[in-house]
Amino acid sequence: TERTFIAIKPDGVQRGLIGPIITRFEQRGFKLIAIKLVTPGKEHLEKHYADLAGKPFFPGLIEYMNSGPICAMIWEGREVVKTGRILLGATNPLASAPGTIRGDYAIDVGRNVCHGSDAVESAEKEIALWFQESEITSYKASQFDWVYEKP
Ligand code: GTP
Ligand code: MG
């Protein structure tokens, strides 16, 4: 089954959005298989956003991500990477449709409350960066027989 890495950024945690963001993924039918609050430090955050290292906003991005605890999660389900990005909305919240997380809770691209992996391959890399194998659970969600026609 497909997995994605979703992280509620420091502004999302501080603004009390952990519950509402988790609720959107839960209510869609996805399964939470790992979760923790972490402040991993700049070096780790620079690895996470390594692809953006040359961008002018990179130092500000790292400072933002290092400004408080992050709620790191792994969600599982059919096409969860792509669908997770749709739930998040566009990178720039001003371009995000209402009904999306960023479209409902954010304004500034530099304070867009939540991260989601952009491809299956990056999801696998990010999961390996943020989680130990022992932190990832495995269970049958009782609702799955109702969420999927063929599980
Ligand atoms: P993530 O889910 O956080 O990875 O966002 P994304 O995949 O929608 O966008 P991207 O990976 O390109 O950028 C990562 C993060 O850098 C964004 O979520 C923003 O917080 C920040 N960012 C991206 N572009 C800009 C920009 O033009 N200005 C500023 N200030 N921040 C930016
Ligand atoms: Mg990204």
Side-chain angles (χ1 to χ4, degrees):
T1 321
E2 195 168 293
R3 294 172 172 187
T4 194
F5 175 66
I6 300 292
I8 303 170
K9 299 180 180 183
D11 52 336
V13 173
Q14 295 289 348
R15 292 177 55 200
L17 296 175
I18 292 176
I21 291 170
I22 287 178
T23 297
R24 286 164 186 246
F25 282 85
E26 280 184 330
Q27 291 184 338
R28 189 64 186 262
F30 292 122
K31 179 164 71 172
L32 183 64
I33 58 167
I35 182 167
K36 60 182 175 182
L37 268 187
V38 281
T39 314
K42 285 195 175 184
E43 202 177 308
H44 176 101
L45 295 164
E46 283 165 5
K47 273 188 207 159
H48 173 74
Y49 280 128
D51 293 353
L52 301 173
K55 303 281 184 189
F57 58 82
F58 187 72
L61 172 62
I62 298 304
E63 208 166 301
Y64 160 46
M65 292 296 290
N66 198 38
S67 64
I70 290 168
C71 182
M73 299 178 279
I74 306 172
W75 287 87
E76 192 176 85
R78 189 179 299 161
E79 295 195 33
V80 68
V81 173
K82 190 178 109 198
T83 311
R85 296 280 290 188
I86 294 169
L87 288 175
L88 251 59
T91 304
N92 183 350
L94 292 179
S96 301
T100 65
I101 291 164
R102 289 166 177 165
D104 285 347
Y105 300 129
I107 293 173
D108 196 337
V109 68
R111 295 290 184 273
N112 60 1
V113 306
C114 198
H115 162 83
S117 306
D118 60 13
V120 172
E121 198 185 36
S122 38
E124 284 166 5
K125 272 193 219 158
E126 291 171 0
I127 286 167
L129 176 65
W130 288 80
F131 285 95
Q132 306 283 324
E133 202 53 52
S134 61
E135 295 175 307
I136 304 173
T137 60
S138 168
Y139 63 99
K140 182 187 186 308
S142 57
Q143 64 162 344
F144 270 30
D145 295 337
W146 301 99
V147 172
Y148 297 102
E149 182 183 8
K150 296 186 183 93

